Amino acid sequence: MADRYRLFSIEELPSHLIFEILTSGRLSAVDLAHLELTSKTFGGSHGLYPQKFRSLVDLAASQLCALHSIYAGMSRNVQIELLNRCNGNWKRVLRFLQSVEHSSDIVETSAGNMQITTGRYHTLLISNSSVFSCGSSLCGVLGHGPETTQCVSFTRINFPSAAHVVQVSASENHAAFVLQSGQVFTCGDNSSFCCGHRDTNRPIFRPRLVEALKGVPCKQVTAGLNFTGFLTIRGHVHTCGSNTHGQLGHGDTLDRPTPKSIAPLEEVGSVVQIAAGPSYMLAVTGNGVVYSFGSGSNFCLGHGEQHDELQPRAIQTFRRKGIHVVRVSAGDEHVVALDSSGYVSLCS
């Protein structure tokens, strides 16, 4: 029996098996760099494309990049530009792609993964899938019930059932939460229908499931002043709430009491990220195009005009320059965009 099992060194494995191990796991670019530095097995080329790749790890990083959804959505010219920007280092390219992928405001700390978002007088914190709030609110955005209008320290919010919260977005008077299951909960002032519930008689004092999105799993939410955007796993965008400036993207200024899918965005491909300002919204598609709609105050929509856009309109400046946008962030009256080469652009 003793002969059936033996310890062996990883150096004894054939290079193609090592390569499969490197590319089939969930290794980060940093993990790959550490492996390359600590073992000649990973740092050598093993005769595999010696002129093109520096090491087996470099080859693995290039394969992981090719399989990455953000990289796959880029044109060939944009991919080459990104590689050149990273000095031909595939690990740097992979690190950039993974950083963009995880740029949902979640940060790694010694105490675990955290995300912080703020309203006017309150703060919400995700720590290891639980949500905490502090501050003041009369409209229920703290999420602790009608009897709680102030929290002097971070206090955990209780959900109807055991919930692993992966993302939160908050505005002045309401908040939205995405669970690992894809379900969305909201709380706060629903007088403008921004929480996605038809009941507007009183605030939503505790997180409540958005019934209209049952069976429609989401991966991101974004809270505007009096409206909310929901990004589904399928890449569709739903909106609800106040629509004074066309910020819901449906081609009119009618308010929506429950989330409704934006039809024009379904026709342009999968949306990978959304962001909301007070009265406008942005959507980034997988092919790097940015669409904006809502209030055009202070040129924040990026079209060189200040009038409102009632439905999604592509920002042509990026298209003309061949810029592939991967992420956007919306301020009160300005927009910041990150492109595939790591450059940042500003619209205001």
Side-chain angles (χ1 to χ4, degrees):
M1 291 291 292
D3 294 337
R4 293 180 59 186
Y5 304 98
R6 71 179 181 87
L7 297 176
F8 61 89
S9 171
I10 196 168
E11 281 83 358
E12 298 179 55
L13 294 176
S15 56
H16 72 273
L17 185 56
I18 297 175
F19 177 76
E20 186 174 339
I21 294 172
L22 293 175
T23 56
S24 62
R26 298 184 60 84
L27 296 176
S28 70
V30 175
D31 293 329
L32 292 177
H34 288 163
L35 287 172
E36 188 177 42
L37 290 172
T38 56
S39 172
K40 63 180 182 180
T41 301
F42 301 109
S45 67
H46 298 269
L48 295 171
Y49 309 104
Q51 301 301 318
K52 187 175 181 180
F53 298 102
R54 305 175 184 182
S55 65
L56 190 59
V57 159
D58 204 39
L59 174 60
S62 72
Q63 180 67 17
L64 291 172
C65 288
L67 296 173
H68 200 285
S69 59
I70 295 175
Y71 187 82
M74 299 177 183
S75 68
R76 182 58 182 160
N77 288 339
V78 171
Q79 292 174 349
I80 293 172
E81 183 180 351
L82 175 58
L83 181 59
N84 291 337
R85 177 102 165 113
C86 295
N87 296 321
N89 189 321
W90 284 104
K91 295 183 295 297
R92 290 183 182 176
V93 175
L94 181 61
R95 186 172 186 180
F96 173 75
L97 295 173
Q98 291 176 337
S99 297
V100 172
E101 182 182 22
H102 298 140
S103 62
S104 58
D105 300 323
I106 295 288
V107 295
E108 294 183 6
T109 73
S110 58
N113 295 334
M114 293 186 178
Q115 181 201 348
I116 296 178
T117 186
T118 60
R120 189 171 186 180
Y121 299 116
H122 61 278
T123 302
L124 297 173
L125 164 71
I126 294 178
S127 178
N128 292 327
S129 301
S130 295
V131 186
F132 302 79
S133 66
C134 68
S136 300
S137 174
L138 298 175
C139 64
V141 74
L142 295 178
H144 300 297
E147 67 281 356
T148 303
T149 59
Q150 188 176 65
C151 293
V152 297
S153 61
F154 279 112
T155 305
R156 183 173 180 173
I157 298 175
N158 293 318
F159 283 75
S161 58
H164 294 279
V165 181
V166 295
Q167 193 247 331
V168 61
S169 182
S171 185
E172 290 192 10
N173 296 312
H174 77 287
F177 313 86
V178 180
L179 273 56
Q180 194 173 49
S181 64
Q183 293 176 306
V184 177
F185 284 73
T186 56
C187 64
D189 181 5
N190 192 43
S191 60
S192 63
F193 299 113
C194 59
C195 290
H197 310 289
R198 292 185 179 276
D199 177 16
T200 59
N201 295 327
R202 56 178 296 179
I204 312 296
F205 286 106
R206 299 181 189 276
R208 181 191 297 180
L209 176 67
V210 179
E211 298 283 346
L213 291 174
K214 268 190 173 181
V216 184
C218 295
K219 60 181 180 180
Q220 188 201 346
V221 288
T222 183
L225 183 60
N226 293 308
F227 74 102
T228 306
F230 309 84
L231 177 60
T232 72
I233 290 177
R234 294 181 59 190
H236 297 163
V237 181
H238 298 243
T239 54
C240 65
S242 175
N243 196 28
T244 308
H245 300 280
Q247 60 264 42
L248 300 188
H250 301 300
D252 55 42
T253 56
L254 301 175
D255 296 346
R256 298 299 193 283
T258 57
K260 177 184 177 182
S261 179
I262 302 178
L265 285 179
E266 292 186 19
E267 300 171 1
V268 299
S270 178
V271 173
V272 296
Q273 191 234 344
I274 55 176
S279 299
Y280 71 94
M281 193 164 163
L282 305 159
V284 183
T285 61
N287 59 356
V289 178
V290 183
Y291 291 83
S292 61
F293 45 99
S295 172
S297 176
N298 201 32
F299 306 100
C300 61
L301 297 183
H303 305 301
E305 304 163 346
Q306 294 201 72
H307 62 72
D308 296 348
E309 296 289 344
L310 304 186
Q311 60 183 11
R313 178 182 173 186
I315 299 179
Q316 295 299 329
T317 302
F318 294 132
R319 276 185 162 182
R320 285 194 297 267
K321 295 181 179 180
I323 295 175
H324 182 112
V325 176
V326 292
R327 285 293 183 271
V328 290
S329 180
D332 282 353
E333 292 184 334
H334 71 281
V335 173
V336 176
L338 174 69
D339 72 21
S340 58
S341 293
Y343 292 105
V344 173
S345 301
L346 176 68
C347 299
S348 63

